[in-house]
Amino acid sequence: MNKNIIRSITIISFLFCLLWLVGLGWAVGEYYAGKPEEVPKAIVTKEANNTKGLTIVALGDSLTRGTGDETGKGYVGDLLDEIKEKTKRPVQLTNLGINGQRSDGLRRQIQQTEVQRQIQKADIVLLTIGGNDLFRGGQGLMDFQAGSIAAIEKTYLHNLKFIFGQIRKVNSTANVFFIGLYNPFIEIDQGKEMSKVIRHWNYDSAEVSAAYPKIIFVPTFDLFELKVNDYLYSDKFHPNTKGYRLIAERVAALLTW
């Protein structure tokens, strides 16, 4: 095989690889880190609110909204069902998650008067944030080794500290469950390298959580690590019904009844 043929094959292979990455990045931008909704549409259960009941507020991104779950419940809805079953108590849920939300958006949202009012009366706060900061609409797949992640993470952690501080300022007693990131890209060529990035991101997030009382970091990386495709929606980024169920079970195991 002459050099020209080898060169042509190499160029074609590179172009196909680049096209695949661009397509994957577009998909992430559409489904995992899309443009945030301008106005959060709160989902509020109609359970009676009384002194013997539980009040839950869910904040964050598309994972809080349950995107990818065909039942529409997500981990928040699954957890709600389990709490009702085990405690037999009335539960009121307010879901303030926003598709595509990043930490800077949540930082702004959590300063809104109505959001603070909801947090103030909560017994439990559920939170997912950080995936859209890291993957950045798919761009993070293209340059996650470029060194820019350190600066992105620094800003994210700064926002996270502010968010936790605001929650504790408004409500000092609620249990806050902060859901860590999993790696939906484990099986691609750069999956192992991305896993290192996500594990480091989770470690730093957990360290920030530990600095605040009653804020519990909930790891999910291990839940998806071995059979990631079994627990992903067809977009290959969000959890499917089974994936959300795993997350709900992990949170439920940390609750004290």
Side-chain angles (χ1 to χ4, degrees), residues 111-164:
Q111 297 179 72
Q112 296 173 8
T113 301
E114 177 57 25
V115 174
Q116 291 188 352
R117 189 181 73 83
Q118 295 293 339
I119 294 172
Q120 186 177 33
K121 64 181 184 179
D123 299 299
I124 296 173
V125 176
L126 304 173
L127 174 62
T128 62
I129 202 69
N132 297 320
D133 293 74
L134 178 57
F135 295 116
R136 290 163 286 148
Q139 182 183 354
L141 292 174
M142 306 291 288
D143 64 0
F144 72 94
Q145 298 184 59
S148 59
I149 285 184
I152 292 169
E153 185 187 20
K154 182 178 180 180
T155 299
Y156 156 75
L157 293 175
H158 180 70
N159 289 333
L160 193 62
K161 291 175 183 177
F162 182 88
I163 292 164
F164 288 160

Side-chain angles (χ1 to χ4, degrees), residues 177-198:
F177 295 93
F178 175 38
I179 314 302
L181 302 185
Y182 59 90
N183 183 8
F185 312 113
I186 290 175
E187 296 191 358
I188 70 173
D189 290 341
Q190 296 174 315
K192 290 184 178 179
E193 287 80 4
M194 186 160 286
S195 286
K196 293 179 182 177
V197 171
I198 294 172

